């Protein structure tokens, strides 16, 4: 009898462990930081970011030059291998970083930022990563591809107090949605919707300083088609980071935020249906059974191919007196029930930039990690995530906070 119990226990543990995701390193770039990663129409992946400041010897001049951040872009195949990788600025005078990259009908458009004077610029590159043109713009926060060609830009284009611009392939304005039309004080994020429109996550601030969160939908002609106020107290203690807002195949919107307390934080997942009604808003914490609380920070989200959602983030573990900031991944089902969680100590002080779908429950992850403590260098890692979860074999129950 004892042997039967032992065998059953071994089989249960083996089955449970087999359901955890498999994470494989596909590529890495030493001293590079990634800011944006997209999947192209032909199935490859294109990214932007920057090459970090370093001291190099200029062989022509025979002197040391302390280079600044240099704009960087690269294309990867479906296995994460490099097709091309190019540094697009010299780093001598200006410190330039790539913030977002979007695909057009021909080539790609990069939203960049000069860290010296906070000037934003649009840089158009061809399919081989060569620069075609540059245009200065006002303070801008997000760039995405438009549904019918061109681009959608969030921010103050050409220093005007307007929020949303539609640009053509040459970066020329086609229409804009002004602040008075939008009727919100802060625009946070924008995504394409499954009905070929766009939706913005935004908020305004009332007289006592409370944020009132809204969803605002608009079409390809710049007409606002739908607005919905979200329950304000849900996000009262939450911080939002770009990239934690998606729409699933059924039209629901998923928002991941970081819920802050006095000494730690949890991750809040909110699901809103296509009419703007909140389906659930749940907190997830992974410090149950720990002696000290853990900080969890949301970074990245994607809809799982076989249902539910996969989230990326950082957890600050107090396993030692120093603590360690490491990569974590977890998955929930469509109703917010916890399915699995795992953490990866190799990838420290990380920022997940993007999840993109490959096939057969496989995903590409782009992240920056301070992997080399001794030399204090940042690395860009391209990882392949395989989700091994089988819904027929339910793992342990969720560490829900509420």
């Amino acid at each position: 009898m004892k042997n039967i119990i032992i065998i059953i226990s071994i089989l249960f543990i083996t089955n449970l462990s087999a359901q955890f995701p498999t994470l494989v390193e596909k590529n890495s770039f030493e001293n590079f930081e990634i800011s944006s990663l997209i999947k192209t129409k032909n199935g490859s992946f294109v990214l932007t970011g920057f090459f970090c400041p370093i001291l190099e010897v200029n062989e022509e001049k025979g002197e040391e030059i302390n280079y600044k951040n240099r704009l960087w872009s690269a294309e990867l195949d479906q296995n994460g291998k490099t097709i091309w990788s190019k540094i697009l600025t010299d780093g001598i005078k200006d410190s330039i970083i790539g913030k977002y990259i979007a695909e057009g009908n021909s080539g790609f458009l990069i939203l960049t930022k000069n860290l010296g004077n906070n000037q934003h610029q649009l840089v158009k590159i061809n399919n081989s990563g060569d620069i075609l043109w540059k245009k200065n713009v006002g303070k801008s926060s997000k760039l995405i591809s438009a549904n019918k060609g061109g681009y959608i830009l969030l921010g103050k284009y050409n220093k005007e107090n307007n929020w949303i611009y539609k640009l053509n392939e040459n970066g020329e304005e086609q229409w804009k949605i002004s602040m008075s039309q939008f009727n919100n004080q802060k625009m946070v994020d924008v995504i394409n919707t499954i009905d070929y429109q766009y939706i913005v996550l935004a908020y305004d601030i009332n007289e006592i300083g409370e944020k009132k969160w809204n969803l605002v939908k608009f079409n390809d002609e710049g007409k606002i088609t739908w607005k919905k106020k979200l329950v304000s107290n849900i996000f009262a203690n939450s911080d939002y980071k770009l990239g934690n807002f998606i729409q699933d195949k059924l039209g629901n919107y998923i928002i991941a935020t970081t819920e802050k307390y006095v000494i730690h934080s949890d991750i809040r997942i909110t699901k809103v249906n296509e009419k703007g009604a909140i389906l659930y808003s749940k907190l997830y914490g992974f410090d149950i059974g720990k002696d000290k609380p853990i900080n969890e920070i949301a970074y990245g989200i994607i809809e799982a191919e076989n249902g539910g959602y996969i989230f990326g983030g950082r957890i600050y573990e107090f396993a030692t007196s120093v603590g360690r900031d490491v990569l974590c991944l977890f998955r929930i089902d469509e109703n917010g029930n916890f399915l699995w969680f795992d953490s990866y100590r190799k990838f420290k002080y990380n920022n997940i930039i993007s999840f993109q779908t490959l096939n057969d429950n496989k995903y590409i992850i782009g992240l920056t990690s301070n992997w080399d403590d001794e030399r204090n260098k940042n690395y860009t890692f391209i990882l392949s995530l395989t989700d091994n979860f089988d819904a027929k074999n339910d793992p342990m129950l969720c560490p829900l906070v509420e």
Side-chain angles (χ1 to χ4, degrees), residues 101-151:
I101 190 165
E103 185 175 14
N105 290 334
S106 60
F108 306 91
L109 191 63
I110 305 174
L111 174 62
T112 73
K113 181 180 180 180
N114 186 323
L115 298 182
N117 57 18
N118 287 325
Q119 174 67 55
H120 288 72
Q121 192 174 62
L122 296 174
V123 177
K124 183 66 179 284
I125 61 174
N126 62 20
N127 290 322
S128 300
D130 303 313
I131 293 178
L132 300 177
W133 51 258
K134 300 178 182 180
K135 288 188 178 183
N136 291 333
V137 294
K139 186 177 181 181
S140 305
S141 58
K142 183 75 178 282
L143 175 74
I144 63 173
S145 300
N147 296 318
K148 298 178 181 179
Y151 310 91

Side-chain angles (χ1 to χ4, degrees), residues 359-372:
N359 49 53
D360 299 326
N361 296 320
K362 291 185 179 180
Y363 310 89
I364 282 285
I365 300 176
L367 64 83
T368 292
S369 173
N370 181 227
W371 179 71
D372 193 335

